[in-house]
Amino acid sequence: LRVTLAVLDDPRFAPLFGPDSVAEAQVAGWIGGRIGGRAILGQIDRLVVTATEVVIVDYKTHRPPPATPDEVAPLYLAKVAAYRAVLAPLYPGRRIRAVLAWTDGPRLMDLPDALLDRYAPSMASG
């Protein structure tokens, strides 16, 4: 309860709970076309859609959280990179941003596009 209230009371988290946000957004799509592509299916913890950007928020309870994005577990990075790949064609002209919301602290960690690009779904792996 203390951790949950700390997140809700933190002003940095306020945009995640505003009118442009939705909880537990289902996401599904094909990456790379029907032949040779990959199906992506998942649930985004929190999704914020504005006129200029789409923010994918993935809650994490890992303690202690990593200090930098480069220290984040590859599994986490691959997951949000896949969500980003599915959402990009649905929101042309909008930046697709990924954020990890660490409940320990609490704190937000923006994941750089260049880092997520390294974990984007590969068509070669099927």
Side-chain angles (χ1 to χ4, degrees):
L1 180 61
R2 181 180 46 79
V3 170
T4 301
L5 291 175
V7 169
L8 294 174
D9 289 340
D10 191 317
R12 296 170 297 171
F13 285 69
L16 307 183
F17 301 102
D20 296 326
S21 69
V22 64
E24 299 180 353
Q26 300 294 317
V27 62
W30 279 104
I31 304 300
R34 289 237 183 257
I35 298 177
R38 294 180 65 187
I40 304 292
L41 176 65
Q43 180 173 290
I44 298 172
D45 292 335
R46 197 90 191 162
L47 184 66
V48 181
V49 179
T50 71
T52 58
E53 73 176 353
V54 176
V55 183
I56 299 163
V57 183
D58 198 30
Y59 293 113
K60 295 295 172 208
T61 58
H62 186 87
R63 293 169 190 250
T68 68
D70 288 324
E71 297 171 3
V72 171
L75 180 65
Y76 298 164
L77 297 171
K79 180 171 101 171
V80 294
Y83 294 163
R84 189 177 70 143
V86 170
L87 293 176
L90 300 175
Y91 296 97
R94 296 184 208 188
R95 179 168 182 231
I96 310 294
R97 191 163 60 98
V99 175
L100 296 180
W102 299 100
T103 59
D104 186 32
R107 71 184 179 104
L108 296 174
M109 178 185 283
D110 276 286
L111 299 175
D113 291 339
L115 177 61
L116 292 177
D117 289 346
R118 295 192 334 237
Y119 290 90
S122 167
M123 296 312 102
S125 62

